[in-house]
Amino acid sequence: MDFKRLKYFLTLAEELHFGRAAKRLNIVQPALSAQIRNLEEELGGLLFVRTSRQVELTSTGELCLQQVRQLFQQLTDLKEMAQASFKGELGKIRVGFSSIVAFTDFFSGHIKRFQDNYPKVEIIMHEVPPLYQIKALLAGKIDVGYASLLGLEKNPDLSARLVGVYPFVVAMRKDHPLAGRGKLAHNDLKDEKIIIYSSEDNDEFNTLTTHLMRSIEDYNVDYFDRRGSLLSMLTLVAAGQGIAIMPCPVQSIKASDVIYIPLAETEASTSFFMIRRAQEASPAVHAFWDFTGA
Amino acid sequence: MDFKRLKYFLTLAEELHFGRAAKRLNIVQPALSAQIRNLEEELGGLLFVRTSRQVELTSTGELCLQQVRQLFQQLTDLKEMAQASFKGELGKIRVGFSSIVAFTDFFSGHIKRFQDNYPKVEIIMHEVPPLYQIKALLAGKIDVGYASLLGLEKNPDLSARLVGVYPFVVAMRKDHPLAGRGKLAHNDLKDEKIIIYSSEDNDEFNTLTTHLMRSIEDYNVDYFDRRGSLLSMLTLVAAGQGIAIMPCPVQSIKASDVIYIPLAETEASTSFFMIRRAQEASPAVHAFWDFTGA
DNA sequence: GATAGAAAATAGTTTAAACCTATTGAGCGA
DNA sequence: TCGCTCAATAGGTTTAAACTATTTTCTATC
């Protein structure tokens, strides 16, 4: 059983004339006769009634015609699907993102614009803490990561691309003494209780605060060490437990009683990266990477 | 694109090893390598990642695998369908029957038993007057006819088979003078008004009554000539317009005020035939013919 | 009824591609 | 470094599909 034979069958069923059908198939009439005979032998009965004047389908032939049309449709679909898949227009991309990334403008922009241009690619989102993203990428659990991490260029198994650099803001209760200020400098934080997110699992906040701390190390800062999420930090701020230094995208989280004031006069900032495996095979992931990089 | 290639793909996708897959396919490893390469070139990308230690599917390969499995399922279905159709287990049979036939025991028996044994054959019933059945058969409007007709053996384009011979009964109002009798003879009808169905279109009643009349031609019978259906004859009988001579299956029609009395002492009878085209192509029709004849 | 024409089937030859054997090359483990 | 496994490559062989030429069958027309 062969697609070529089925194609011959289909053409003959349409033309109902061996000579014309053979011409359309760019073969010669006896070749078509032989192939149709082969097909009929394989199925165990006649598909056409041949009188010397006309050819017509048997009832079985009619049934087969419908099925064969379907079969060719499926074959066409298969080819198109494969080609779409090779072009990265089809497939799944598992995207890992850290909690802060979810509030950046580039992240939602990437996802939305890609989805608009590649509607058949399924994007599966996972919130994954930054250091875990590296493990998840190498273990094949996610295909693309979005996080603020340092030293990525040192890992030969990963490719990274800088996608955003953000200054810091200071989150505090609205009745905090500093609340009226339009902007803050290092000096202003000198005697404040600063809430820092710290966790062995999650390096992002460590990274950025360490980064920041380096720039304000001259100052004598009390800090409040605490495990928890981005939101739990804001809860602590709202509860008057201290102030928090955070990348500015966090501003879009409107917590009651909490205000954000830019931290000026420092070159400290948070850099966000896209990360993928250096040896990536999936065309969809490459399409995503190239599309968001263009 | 060829089913053989797709089969190779399927086997390799299952084995993930060129040597083993080739062995299962009863070909040699380089042949398999070449065919997989051809397939990949045709689709425009790689379906497998080959390291010298292991073979695995690409993401596109995974997608194709599902589609190809479906394709093979459909191919199997096509073959099975074709073979079922050749055996007459699949298809349509358009059955024409005259009104009286609907009340015979053989008719419902044929249909029911065949349908039980050939559940996938669609039987389409048409009530067709007897002479029309011959036209409908020759015009390809129906495939099998059931009727009482004479001279069928003279038509070389048709095959017929006798399926039932029934004596006559006399239908009359229950208050008719003859109503008390257990059976009737020709003599008894001598002075009765007999309702006869007559139509150029429909020969069945003409046939049977002519047949009957021949056997009682010695008697002086008034008859009431009237176009109409089987039921309209019974209506006339119920209205006291006369008595009617009918094949005994009509007895199963219980009309109020109408009783049936056997017409004995005559060899006159109605013969019912199955009819089909002599040159019938449809295996389902042959299956029906053979099944009901066995 | 004979004859010409049309269309599918048959016979024999040619060609193409699928397959086979033998070998090479690459990667991994001892 | 050697040896082993496994896929790729090279070159010859076989099979089957296609071609050309011819026959057969049926129909339409004279």
Side-chain angles (χ1 to χ4, degrees):
Chain A
M1 181 66 80
D2 186 345
F3 271 112
K4 193 161 54 172
R5 276 208 190 77
L6 293 180
K7 180 74 193 166
Y8 291 178
F9 165 72
L10 208 59
T11 306
L12 182 58
E14 283 165 3
E15 292 288 344
L16 294 176
H17 187 288
F18 278 82
R20 281 198 299 276
K23 187 169 253 178
R24 250 183 65 186
L25 291 163
N26 296 315
I27 58 171
V28 96
Q29 170 262 317
L32 180 58
S33 291
Q35 289 308 315
I36 295 293
R37 186 158 13 88
N38 287 348
L39 184 61
E40 287 177 328
E41 275 167 19
E42 188 172 352
L43 291 176
L46 294 180
L47 296 170
F48 295 93
V49 182
R50 300 107 157 128
T51 68
S52 64
R53 281 288 140 184
Q54 66 180 6
V55 176
E56 54 187 25
L57 282 165
T58 62
S59 56
T60 306
E62 297 273 9
L63 287 171
C64 287
L65 179 57
Q66 299 169 24
Q67 293 284 314
V68 169
R69 285 218 172 96
Q70 274 189 36
L71 212 57
F72 271 96
Q73 187 54 55
Q74 268 207 262
L75 180 67
T76 309
D77 290 352
L78 168 65
K79 283 185 186 170
E80 282 173 3
M81 193 214 65
Q83 272 147 26
S85 175
F86 286 134
K87 280 193 268 179
E89 293 167 359
L90 205 64
K92 288 180 192 167
I93 303 175
R94 292 157 304 174
V95 176
F97 59 96
S98 65
S99 50
I100 296 188
V101 164
F103 297 100
T104 65
D105 43 4
F106 66 82
F107 182 67
S108 51
H110 281 186
I111 302 298
K112 167 134 184 43
R113 278 187 295 123
F114 183 76
Q115 200 62 272
D116 287 348
N117 282 274
Y118 290 77
K120 288 180 186 163
V121 174
E122 186 184 358
I123 295 186
I124 302 156
M125 306 272 240
H126 298 279
E127 187 174 331
V128 183
L131 265 190
Y132 274 5
Q133 288 190 17
I134 293 172
K135 293 183 194 169
L137 275 167
L138 297 176
K141 305 284 188 190
I142 62 171
D143 303 304
V144 176
Y146 276 89
S148 172
L149 284 163
L150 296 179
L152 287 168
E153 67 285 356
K154 290 174 193 156
N155 192 332
D157 295 330
L158 296 177
S159 293
R161 179 202 294 148
L162 182 66
V163 282
V165 180
Y166 293 88
F168 288 100
V169 292
V170 181
M172 65 187 70
R173 271 189 67 84
K174 63 183 178 187
D175 54 8
H176 190 277
L178 293 172
R181 307 280 284 275
K183 58 183 184 180
L184 295 170
H186 296 166
N187 269 1
D188 302 319
L189 307 181
K190 208 165 99 179
D191 301 316
E192 295 298 328
K193 196 168 176 187
I194 298 179
I195 300 165
I196 289 176
Y197 183 92
S198 172
S199 151
E200 285 158 32
D201 292 339
N202 183 324
D203 212 38
E204 182 173 35
F205 283 84
N206 280 332
T207 302
L208 65 93
T209 44
T210 304
H211 202 99
L212 181 66
M213 287 306 148
R214 216 177 302 141
S215 76
I216 58 173
E217 61 194 339
D218 320 333
Y219 300 87
N220 183 24
V221 183
D222 266 9
Y223 61 89
F224 189 94
D225 192 308
R226 188 127 187 106
R227 288 175 175 270
S229 73
L230 196 62
L231 285 172
S232 72
M233 285 178 73
L234 287 175
T235 306
L236 291 172
V237 170
Q241 297 296 307
I243 64 172
I245 300 169
M246 299 170 139
C248 71
V250 173
Q251 284 182 98
S252 58
I253 309 178
K254 303 295 177 195
S256 60
D257 302 332
V258 175
I259 60 164
Y260 303 95
I261 301 174
L263 184 63
E265 296 169 23
T266 168
E267 65 272 19
S269 58
T270 315
S271 296
F272 290 98
F273 294 89
M274 287 177 69
I275 325 161
R276 65 165 173 90
R277 287 178 288 277
Q279 313 293 337
E280 176 58 60
S282 160
V285 174
H286 274 111
F288 184 76
W289 191 263
D290 295 344
F291 182 84
T292 54
Chain B
M1 181 66 79
D2 187 344
F3 271 112
K4 195 161 52 173
R5 275 208 190 76
L6 293 180
K7 179 75 194 165
Y8 291 177
F9 165 72
L10 208 58
T11 307
L12 181 58
E14 283 164 3
E15 292 290 343
L16 293 176
H17 186 288
F18 278 82
R20 281 198 300 276
K23 188 170 255 180
R24 252 184 63 187
L25 291 164
N26 297 314
I27 58 172
V28 94
Q29 170 262 318
L32 180 58
S33 292
Q35 290 307 316
I36 295 294
R37 186 157 16 87
N38 286 348
L39 184 61
E40 288 177 327
E41 275 167 19
E42 188 173 352
L43 291 176
L46 294 180
L47 296 170
F48 295 94
V49 182
R50 301 109 156 126
T51 68
S52 63
R53 281 289 138 183
Q54 68 180 4
V55 175
E56 55 188 23
L57 281 165
T58 61
S59 56
T60 306
E62 297 273 9
L63 286 171
C64 287
L65 180 57
Q66 300 170 25
Q67 293 284 313
V68 169
R69 285 216 172 96
Q70 274 189 38
L71 213 56
F72 272 96
Q73 187 55 53
Q74 268 209 265
L75 180 67
T76 310
D77 290 351
L78 168 66
K79 282 184 186 170
E80 283 173 4
M81 193 213 64
Q83 272 147 26
S85 175
F86 286 134
K87 280 192 269 179
E89 293 167 0
L90 205 65
K92 287 181 193 166
I93 304 176
R94 292 157 304 172
V95 176
F97 59 97
S98 65
S99 49
I100 295 187
V101 163
F103 297 100
T104 64
D105 44 4
F106 66 82
F107 182 68
S108 52
H110 281 186
I111 302 296
K112 166 133 186 44
R113 278 187 295 121
F114 182 76
Q115 199 62 270
D116 288 347
N117 283 273
Y118 291 77
K120 289 181 185 162
V121 175
E122 185 183 359
I123 296 186
I124 301 156
M125 306 271 241
H126 298 279
E127 187 175 331
V128 182
L131 265 188
Y132 273 6
Q133 289 190 17
I134 293 172
K135 292 184 193 168
L137 276 167
L138 296 177
K141 304 284 187 191
I142 63 173
D143 303 304
V144 176
Y146 277 89
S148 172
L149 285 161
L150 296 178
L152 287 167
E153 67 284 356
K154 290 175 193 157
N155 192 332
D157 295 330
L158 296 177
S159 294
R161 179 203 292 149
L162 183 66
V163 282
V165 180
Y166 293 89
F168 288 99
V169 292
V170 180
M172 64 187 71
R173 273 188 67 85
K174 64 183 175 187
D175 54 8
H176 192 275
L178 295 170
R181 307 279 283 276
K183 59 182 181 181
L184 295 171
H186 295 169
N187 270 1
D188 302 319
L189 307 180
K190 208 164 98 179
D191 301 316
E192 294 297 331
K193 196 170 175 185
I194 300 179
I195 300 165
I196 290 176
Y197 183 93
S198 171
S199 151
E200 285 157 33
D201 292 340
N202 182 323
D203 213 39
E204 183 174 34
F205 283 86
N206 280 332
T207 302
L208 66 92
T209 44
T210 304
H211 202 98
L212 180 66
M213 289 303 148
R214 215 177 304 140
S215 75
I216 59 174
E217 60 194 339
D218 318 333
Y219 300 87
N220 184 21
V221 183
D222 266 9
Y223 61 90
F224 189 95
D225 191 306
R226 189 130 187 103
R227 290 174 175 270
S229 73
L230 195 64
L231 286 171
S232 72
M233 285 176 75
L234 287 174
T235 306
L236 291 173
V237 169
Q241 297 296 305
I243 66 171
I245 300 168
M246 298 170 140
C248 73
V250 173
Q251 284 181 98
S252 59
I253 308 177
K254 304 294 179 195
S256 59
D257 303 332
V258 175
I259 61 162
Y260 303 94
I261 302 173
L263 184 63
E265 296 168 23
T266 169
E267 64 274 17
S269 59
T270 315
S271 296
F272 290 98
F273 294 89
M274 286 177 70
I275 325 160
R276 64 165 174 91
R277 285 178 289 277
Q279 313 292 337
E280 177 58 61
S282 159
V285 172
H286 274 111
F288 184 77
W289 192 262
D290 296 344
F291 182 84
T292 52

